[in-house]
């Protein structure tokens, strides 16, 4: 019970410390929230693009566009002979044009059909996609092969660059926040020097004296994370989810996004990182400025 | 109860205390006197482990203060009350809250806090001023709150460093008489002071420090001997 009473009083003292800091709290929380939001944004971007890449990697379908001179059924037969190919769907250029006009509500202006004859090839396993693509490329009359991973190799490069840049900026902001938290706690320690001295001289335990300041720092981390999570959540709902839906409708692929659990993990990570950085900053400050 | 054996304390090349050996008994009230820089405050700081001796040993009861680890220092300080010249009262807390502050921080139950604080304030004659803030109290009353805070845990040892340095002679005498009453209840009271008149009036054991050494240890103050040391500030006494 004594420990519980001391713990409660530690929280009360921490509350007093936070109240004392006044407007400084907003500055610290604001800067920390920006750093965490940036980190969260980078993690969010990284997670989404990785999921897209993983979906691409596991695709078992690709499309082959044929030259006008090629006979679609003959090429389809040739491809079907491969045991790893489950099914080949032939979409003639006329059928494709009809579908296209219907989908986008176009009126035929007599300029002709620009679409090629197309084969949609379904594989039994994604393992042999590259082998079959290599084979298809050797067949005559092939105009182009559309395979998702190739489309997204550029996206992967963008992800890598943005991830590195984001982490770099986050680390710099993290150091900045570490210093600002430390300075704020230092000011509170100086303002409460008399209380600290009285507590030391009456034999109060070390952790009771330092505890409120460390809790003060952890509070900064927690609130900053909550502030950072709100815009990240809105961004996920309004931008990424719409982007993913658009991608699903545009590509002939089956996407399996799990943004909910990924987002929850990112939020938990941000909260823990925020609390850890601010808590450590406060801890080192008390070690430096409070002599027990 | 308190034993110092061959205690020295160096601050760089300066010897604040030089081979000091002293014994203080339980319930004894001792006046520690000496000119500025004689080592009075250093001696007290060594007792409450604000400083560590450069050599020698200090024990309080069965606690070896000189070899005590830092983590055990709070345990030592809970067994003593410390009083300062500048009172060290928290200005935003009432007399009651100032005395209760440490007890609460140490995890005492609220009913116990109220009982003990009321008892301590009653002993120093300030129960009726319990809800006054320090700025509403006179210097003497503030020091009595400081004394109440020091005794509220019922420590066997009380250390006072120039407790009347900021007070007028009449109030100073009241504070010393209060410390004497506390001593009569079984608490060892060690007081550093510059006030020769009070030292003589109190008629207690006097330890004279000079240049970091024990220059005299008198069971009772001897006016002629004390005057010969020229220890006291004439403006205060």
């Amino acid at each position: 019970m004594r420990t519980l009473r001391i713990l409660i009083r530690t929280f009360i003292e921490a509350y007093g410390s936070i109240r004392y800091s006044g407007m400084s709290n907003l500055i610290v929380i604001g800067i920390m929230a920006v750093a965490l939001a940036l980190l969260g944004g980078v993690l969010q971007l990284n997670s989404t693009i990785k999921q897209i890449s993983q979906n691409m990697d596991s695709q078992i379908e690709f499309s082959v566009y044929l030259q006008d001179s090629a006979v679609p059924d003959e090429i389809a037969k040739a491809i079907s002979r491969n045991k790893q190919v489950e099914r080949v769907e032939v979409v003639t250029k006329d059928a494709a044009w009809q579908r296209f006009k219907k989908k986008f509500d176009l009126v035929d202006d007599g300029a002709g059909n620009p679409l090629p004859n197309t084969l949609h090839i379904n594989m039994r396993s994604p393992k042999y996609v590259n082998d079959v693509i290599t084979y298809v490329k050797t067949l005559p009359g092939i105009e182009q092969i559309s395979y998702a991973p190739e489309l997204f190799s550029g996206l992967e490069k963008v992800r890598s660059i943005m991830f590195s840049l984001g982490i770099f900026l986050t680390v710099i902001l993290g150091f900045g926040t570490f210093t600002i938290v430390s300075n704020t706690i230092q000011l509170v320690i100086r303002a409460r020097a008399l209380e600290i001295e009285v507590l030391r001289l009456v034999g109060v335990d070390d952790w009771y004296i330092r505890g409120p300041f460390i809790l003060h720092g952890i509070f900064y981390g927690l609130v900053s994370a909550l502030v950072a999570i709100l815009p990240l959540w809105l961004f996920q709902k309004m931008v990424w989810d719409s982007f993913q839906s658009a991608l699903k409708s545009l590509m002939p692929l089956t996407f399996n996004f799990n943004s909910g659990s990924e987002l929850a993990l990112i939020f938990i990570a941000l909260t823990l990182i925020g609390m850890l950085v601010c808590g450590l900053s406060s801890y080192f400050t008390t070690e430096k400025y409070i002599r027990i | 109860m308190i034993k110092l054996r061959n205690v020295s304390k160096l601050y760089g090349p300066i010897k604040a205390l030089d081979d000091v050996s002293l014994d203080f008994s339980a319930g004894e009230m001792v006046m520690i006197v000496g000119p500025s820089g004689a080592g009075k405050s250093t001696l007290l700081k060594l007792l409450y482990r604000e400083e560590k001796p450069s050599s020698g040993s200090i024990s309080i009861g069965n606690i070896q203060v000189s070899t005590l680890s830092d983590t055990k220092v709070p345990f030592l300080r809970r067994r003593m009350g410390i009083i300062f010249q500048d009172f060290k009262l928290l200005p935003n807390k009432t007399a009651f809250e100032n005395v209760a502050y440490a007890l609460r921080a140490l995890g005492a139950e609220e009913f116990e806090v109220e009982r003990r604080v009321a008892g301590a304030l009653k002993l120093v004659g300030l129960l009726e001023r319990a809800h006054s803030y320090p700025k509403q109290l006179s210097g003497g009353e503030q020091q009595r709150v400081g004394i109440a805070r020091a005794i509220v845990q019922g420590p066997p040892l009380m250390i006072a460093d120039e407790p009347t340095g900021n007070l007028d002679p009449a109030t100073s005498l009241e504070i010393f008489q209060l410390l004497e009453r506390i001593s009569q209840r079984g608490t060892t009271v060690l007081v550093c002071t510059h006030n020769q008149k009070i030292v003589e009036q109190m008629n207690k054991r006097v330890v004279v420090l000079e240049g970091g050494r024990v220059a005299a240890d008198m069971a009772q103050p001897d006016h002629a001997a004390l005057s010969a040391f020229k220890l006291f500030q004439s403006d205060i006494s």
Side-chain angles (χ1 to χ4, degrees):
Chain A
M1 278 304 285
R2 180 178 169 268
T3 309
L4 181 66
R5 282 195 296 272
I6 292 177
L7 198 65
I8 291 168
R9 292 220 63 86
T10 306
F11 275 94
I12 292 170
E13 290 292 323
Y15 172 70
S17 171
I18 292 163
R19 268 191 61 183
Y20 183 85
S21 300
M23 292 298 284
S24 305
N25 291 326
L26 296 180
I27 296 166
V28 177
I29 289 168
I31 294 171
M32 187 64 188
V34 169
L36 288 175
L38 183 65
L39 176 64
V42 168
L43 292 176
Q44 222 172 354
L45 178 74
N46 190 55
S47 162
T48 303
I49 295 179
K50 267 199 164 169
Q51 283 192 57
I52 292 171
S53 298
Q54 280 165 5
N55 275 282
M56 296 300 145
D57 286 344
S58 61
Q59 281 310 309
I60 54 170
E61 184 179 298
F62 64 95
S63 301
V64 178
Y65 303 114
L66 304 178
Q67 292 167 0
D68 284 348
S69 57
V71 181
D73 289 337
E74 283 180 12
I75 296 175
K77 261 185 197 170
I79 295 171
S80 299
R81 278 187 214 114
N82 191 306
K83 287 179 184 173
Q84 297 305 325
V85 174
E86 188 180 359
R87 185 167 56 88
V88 178
E89 183 195 357
V90 177
V91 181
T92 63
K93 61 186 293 172
D94 292 336
W97 183 232
Q98 289 305 321
R99 273 191 215 170
F100 186 81
K101 283 195 294 185
K102 193 177 176 186
K103 187 170 183 179
F104 294 99
D105 204 18
L106 294 175
V107 180
D108 200 343
D109 60 359
N113 177 359
L115 299 179
N117 291 312
T118 306
L119 305 178
H120 292 307
I121 295 152
N122 277 77
M123 301 292 299
R124 292 187 198 282
S125 155
K127 201 174 165 185
Y128 300 102
V129 169
N130 285 328
D131 293 342
V132 174
I133 285 173
T134 308
Y135 164 69
V136 171
K137 279 179 180 171
T138 64
L139 297 173
I142 305 298
E143 176 82 33
Q144 194 186 347
I145 297 173
S146 171
Y147 179 44
E150 286 175 358
L151 290 175
F152 284 89
S153 63
L155 197 58
E156 177 62 21
K157 279 180 191 165
V158 172
R159 180 197 71 80
S160 175
I161 292 167
M162 289 185 77
F163 185 75
S164 303
L165 189 68
I167 294 293
F168 176 71
L169 285 174
T170 301
V171 168
I172 289 175
L173 273 173
F175 271 116
T177 311
F178 194 91
T179 309
I180 292 167
V181 170
S182 174
N183 286 341
T184 307
I185 297 295
Q186 186 190 334
L187 287 175
V188 180
I189 288 172
R190 286 191 177 174
R192 303 187 75 177
L194 181 60
E195 284 174 60
I196 292 168
E197 192 179 2
V198 168
L199 291 174
R200 295 175 48 228
L201 294 174
V202 297
V204 171
D205 286 314
D206 177 278
W207 64 268
Y208 178 88
I209 299 175
R210 292 186 204 282
F213 299 107
I214 296 168
L215 283 176
H216 187 164
I218 291 172
F219 166 81
Y220 282 151
L222 181 66
V223 175
S224 303
L226 293 176
V227 171
I229 282 169
L230 182 67
L232 289 174
W233 182 78
L234 289 173
F235 188 72
Q236 178 76 34
K237 290 291 153 202
M238 296 170 77
V239 179
W240 279 127
D241 286 357
S242 309
F243 170 71
Q244 287 164 5
S245 302
L247 205 60
K248 280 180 189 175
S249 64
L250 282 172
M251 303 295 291
L253 305 168
T254 310
F255 278 105
N256 180 27
F257 287 122
N258 192 10
S259 60
S261 61
E262 285 284 326
L263 200 61
L265 277 177
I266 290 171
F267 289 172
I268 290 169
L270 288 183
T271 308
L272 292 178
I273 289 168
M275 288 165 73
L276 188 70
V277 168
C278 295
L280 280 177
S281 175
S282 303
Y283 172 75
F284 289 127
T285 308
T286 61
E287 282 287 308
K288 190 174 175 185
Y289 294 101
I290 297 179
R291 184 180 160 226
I292 303 296
Chain B
M1 179 204 175
I2 301 168
K3 287 182 181 168
L4 291 93
R5 290 290 175 270
N6 310 109
V7 174
S8 295
K9 176 65 185 174
L10 295 168
Y11 292 106
I14 299 163
K15 258 190 178 175
L17 281 180
D18 184 9
D19 199 30
V20 170
S21 293
L22 286 167
D23 287 278
F24 303 110
S25 309
E28 193 177 17
M29 183 170 178
V30 182
M31 308 290 192
I32 300 166
V33 300
S36 294
K40 303 186 297 294
S41 294
T42 302
L43 176 67
L44 298 187
K45 282 179 182 174
L46 291 175
L47 290 173
Y48 60 84
R49 248 303 296 278
E50 186 74 352
E51 301 282 357
K52 286 182 185 177
S54 305
S55 62
S57 68
I58 301 169
S59 63
I60 298 176
N62 54 5
I63 302 170
Q64 290 298 320
V65 179
S66 39
T67 55
L68 196 68
S69 69
D70 288 350
T71 53
K72 298 273 174 62
V73 170
F75 174 74
L76 168 76
R77 289 181 182 165
R78 275 174 232 162
R79 296 172 62 83
M80 56 176 69
I82 308 170
I83 305 161
F84 298 92
Q85 182 175 346
D86 59 356
F87 320 133
K88 294 198 190 301
L89 298 182
L90 305 175
N92 58 342
K93 293 188 189 297
T94 63
F96 185 96
E97 288 164 343
N98 263 287
V99 180
Y101 189 55
L103 279 180
R104 285 176 175 149
L106 291 165
E109 286 185 65
E110 201 51 37
F111 76 89
E112 196 187 344
V113 170
E114 290 190 13
R115 185 180 63 80
R116 284 208 198 180
V117 174
L121 286 173
K122 191 177 177 187
L123 185 69
V124 301
L126 277 181
L127 192 54
E128 70 285 1
R129 306 295 308 270
H131 300 293
S132 300
Y133 287 90
K135 66 181 177 188
Q136 296 169 319
L137 300 171
S138 68
E141 287 173 327
Q142 287 187 47
Q143 189 56 289
R144 281 195 276 161
V145 175
I147 293 171
R149 183 177 61 194
I151 59 169
V152 74
Q153 292 188 70
L157 171 63
M158 184 171 284
I159 290 170
D161 192 358
E162 301 282 358
T164 59
N166 290 344
L167 304 175
D168 62 74
T171 311
S172 297
L173 185 61
E174 283 176 19
I175 295 294
F176 271 88
Q177 285 168 341
L178 176 59
L179 292 175
E180 185 182 29
R181 283 206 300 278
I182 291 166
S183 155
Q184 285 163 353
R185 292 158 63 103
T187 302
T188 305
V189 179
L190 306 180
V191 194
C192 282
T193 182
H194 273 108
N195 196 324
Q196 181 174 6
K197 197 172 176 182
I198 283 181
V199 169
E200 289 177 6
Q201 276 181 307
M202 294 304 294
N203 200 30
K204 299 289 181 187
R205 178 183 165 194
V206 182
V207 171
V208 182
L209 289 178
E210 205 172 41
R213 299 184 73 94
V214 178
D217 189 347
M218 301 173 234
Q220 288 179 324
D222 178 325
H223 177 76
L226 289 174
S227 298
F229 281 114
K230 294 180 182 170
L231 307 169
F232 303 106
Q233 294 171 354
S234 57
D235 56 336
I236 294 175
S237 61

